[in-house]
Amino acid sequence: MKGLFKSKPRTPAEVVRQTRDLLLYVQRASDTRESKREEKMSELGKNIRELKSILYGNSESEPVAEACAKLTDEFFKENTLRLLILCLPKLNLEARKDATQVVANLQRQQVQSRLIASDYLEANIDLMDVLISGYENTDMALHYGAMLRECIRHQSVARYVLESQHMKKFFDYIQLPNFDIAADAAATFKELLTRHKSTVAEFLSKNYDWFFAEYNSKLLESSNYITRRQAIKLLGDILLDRSNSAVMTRYVSSRDNLRILMNLLRETSKSIQIEAFHVFKLFAANQNKPTDIIGILIANRSKLLRLFADFKTDKEDQEFEADKAQVVREIASLEPREP
């Protein structure tokens, strides 16, 4: 008889509520017997997979907007996101991967034209502390890192991270010995410094001194080739962005910054040389060069002109050639200025 009555499929809200109950159980269960715990963990894994299936669709069907909205609404009514993040270390690898995808997707889901994830995170901003500290845990770093990058799509969340003490930690996370974790931290760092233009410009203006002191010494002058290459590329992206024009003007007025850039131009790596050139050209193009910058460029004029004479990209690039010709003209025409 049992087979005649199929159980009614659960609604998206019911799947969320049952997931929440299981997460509460996992959070509390330290003294329960092993067999019961395993059963609950297996059930939790299935629930998280079902949440993922509703949000992303599966091989048989596309996601349904109404179901996604109901799931999202229920998810953020209570502390399901907090529970999922805090319980993630207790889940198995597959459940962690599914949970990471669920959290990522929820950041983009709208309920009545509102990104309710943003409102939730503003009220629970301490969760960012948990996600960022995940870089110090080898098992959790990539899951928490992926969640973090999705959360900082919200401008208020990105502002919190930029203004927190955590920003200083990224200079160390980027150089962790585990390559995958270091690369993940670098991706998050780049996202923080490029996504929300006005917030980034405000952060860099307010924190210019310590930020670029760290950036220069720990990243641009790092002994690690990959760190230097990523850092000089990102520096170019930051300084060439119009919203950072005030920061760029300040950066290219510093003799210490010029010295670092000239050293990077002498690297044996062509990719570092090319990226360094894109920043160096800003020093050359500055029409209000300080006297000491002019002095350094004149003192190194013959070396720089020799370097640029043989300076080519692997593929023909007319814009690069035009920039190079302009830089050469600027340096060749420099006259000493009285201090």
Side-chain angles (χ1 to χ4, degrees), residues 96 134-143 178 181:
R96 284 178 194 170
Y135 282 121
E136 294 163 30
N137 179 332
T138 312
D139 294 329
M140 301 311 302
L142 299 182
H143 304 297
N178 182 308
I181 296 174

Side-chain angles (χ1 to χ4, degrees), residues 282-331:
L282 299 173
F283 285 86
N286 181 11
Q287 295 307 301
N288 298 302
K289 296 179 189 71
T291 307
D292 55 352
I293 296 281
I294 293 173
I296 292 169
L297 291 173
I298 289 175
N300 291 275
R301 176 157 39 202
S302 58
K303 286 181 189 172
L304 286 165
L305 295 178
R306 271 203 310 276
L307 173 71
F308 292 137
D310 299 324
F311 208 43
K312 288 184 177 63
T313 51
D314 291 332
K315 293 178 185 170
E316 194 174 319
D317 184 335
Q318 289 182 331
E319 189 180 347
F320 174 80
E321 290 300 326
D323 284 348
K324 188 177 76 169
Q326 180 64 31
V327 167
V328 166
R329 281 195 297 274
E330 289 281 355
I331 293 173

Side-chain angles (χ1 to χ4, degrees), residues 20-65:
R20 187 187 305 138
D21 290 342
L22 287 163
L23 286 166
L24 283 166
Y25 171 85
V26 167
Q27 194 180 41
R28 290 191 306 259
S30 53
D31 52 354
T32 48
R33 66 179 192 277
E34 190 63 29
S35 59
K36 187 178 180 188
R37 184 178 159 72
E38 279 182 17
E39 181 190 325
K40 294 285 188 185
M41 292 300 282
S42 171
E43 206 179 322
L44 177 56
K46 286 174 188 167
N47 270 279
I48 295 171
R49 200 171 315 125
E50 189 166 347
L51 292 174
K52 184 178 92 167
S53 180
I54 295 167
L55 291 169
Y56 286 93
N58 52 40
S59 56
E60 295 162 18
S61 60
E62 292 288 309
V64 178

Side-chain angles (χ1 to χ4, degrees), residues 104-199:
N105 188 294
L106 286 168
Q107 304 314 309
R108 305 165 191 235
Q109 291 290 343
Q110 294 193 6
V111 177
Q112 295 175 342
S113 304
R114 278 185 68 79
L115 285 167
I116 61 172
S118 179
D119 299 336
Y120 179 87
L121 289 173
E122 277 186 48
N124 295 271
I125 201 72
D126 61 296
L127 287 174
M128 295 306 101
D129 305 339
V130 177
L131 296 182
I132 296 165
S133 300
Y135 282 121
E136 294 163 30
N137 179 332
T138 312
D139 294 329
M140 301 311 302
L142 299 182
H143 304 297
Y144 279 161
M147 288 182 184
L148 178 61
R149 272 191 303 287
E150 290 298 328
C151 291
I152 58 178
R153 294 169 67 86
H154 310 301
Q155 191 156 4
S156 58
V157 177
R159 184 182 291 111
Y160 169 79
V161 177
L162 284 167
E163 291 174 355
S164 73
Q165 288 302 305
H166 296 301
M167 263 322 271
K168 292 183 179 176
K169 296 179 188 172
F170 275 95
F171 292 101
D172 298 319
Y173 293 157
I174 288 168
Q175 300 188 81
L176 286 167
N178 182 308
F179 175 80
D180 291 333
I181 296 174
D184 194 279
T188 304
F189 188 67
K190 179 181 179 182
E191 188 77 357
L192 281 165
L193 291 167
T194 53
R195 177 175 275 277
H196 303 287
K197 309 292 187 189
S198 59
T199 302

Side-chain angles (χ1 to χ4, degrees), residues 143-294:
H143 304 297
Y144 279 161
M147 288 182 184
L148 178 61
R149 272 191 303 287
E150 290 298 328
C151 291
I152 58 178
R153 294 169 67 86
H154 310 301
Q155 191 156 4
S156 58
V157 177
R159 184 182 291 111
Y160 169 79
V161 177
L162 284 167
E163 291 174 355
S164 73
Q165 288 302 305
H166 296 301
M167 263 322 271
K168 292 183 179 176
K169 296 179 188 172
F170 275 95
F171 292 101
D172 298 319
Y173 293 157
I174 288 168
Q175 300 188 81
L176 286 167
N178 182 308
F179 175 80
D180 291 333
I181 296 174
D184 194 279
T188 304
F189 188 67
K190 179 181 179 182
E191 188 77 357
L192 281 165
L193 291 167
T194 53
R195 177 175 275 277
H196 303 287
K197 309 292 187 189
S198 59
T199 302
V200 171
E202 186 186 340
F203 163 76
L204 291 173
S205 295
K206 274 203 256 177
N207 298 276
Y208 181 93
D209 290 330
W210 77 258
F211 180 84
F212 284 107
E214 291 280 285
Y215 201 100
N216 288 350
S217 64
K218 289 192 173 174
L219 304 185
L220 292 179
E221 296 186 301
S222 166
S223 58
N224 185 299
Y225 160 74
I226 293 171
T227 301
R228 291 198 307 280
R229 191 183 73 191
Q230 286 177 334
I232 188 59
K233 170 81 171 73
L234 177 57
L235 180 65
D237 292 343
I238 292 169
L239 297 182
L240 286 160
D241 194 303
R242 282 182 189 169
S243 55
N244 296 325
S245 58
V247 170
M248 183 270 284
T249 302
R250 190 170 172 187
Y251 192 88
V252 301
S253 299
S254 158
R255 60 184 296 164
D256 288 338
N257 295 343
L258 178 58
R259 176 186 58 77
I260 291 168
L261 263 295
M262 286 170 64
N263 284 336
L264 289 168
L265 279 172
R266 293 165 50 204
E267 287 254 1
T268 52
S269 157
K270 177 60 74 73
S271 58
I272 288 182
Q273 278 190 317
I274 298 294
E275 296 300 343
F277 171 77
H278 288 306
V279 178
F280 177 81
K281 71 187 180 188
L282 299 173
F283 285 86
N286 181 11
Q287 295 307 301
N288 298 302
K289 296 179 189 71
T291 307
D292 55 352
I293 296 281
I294 293 173

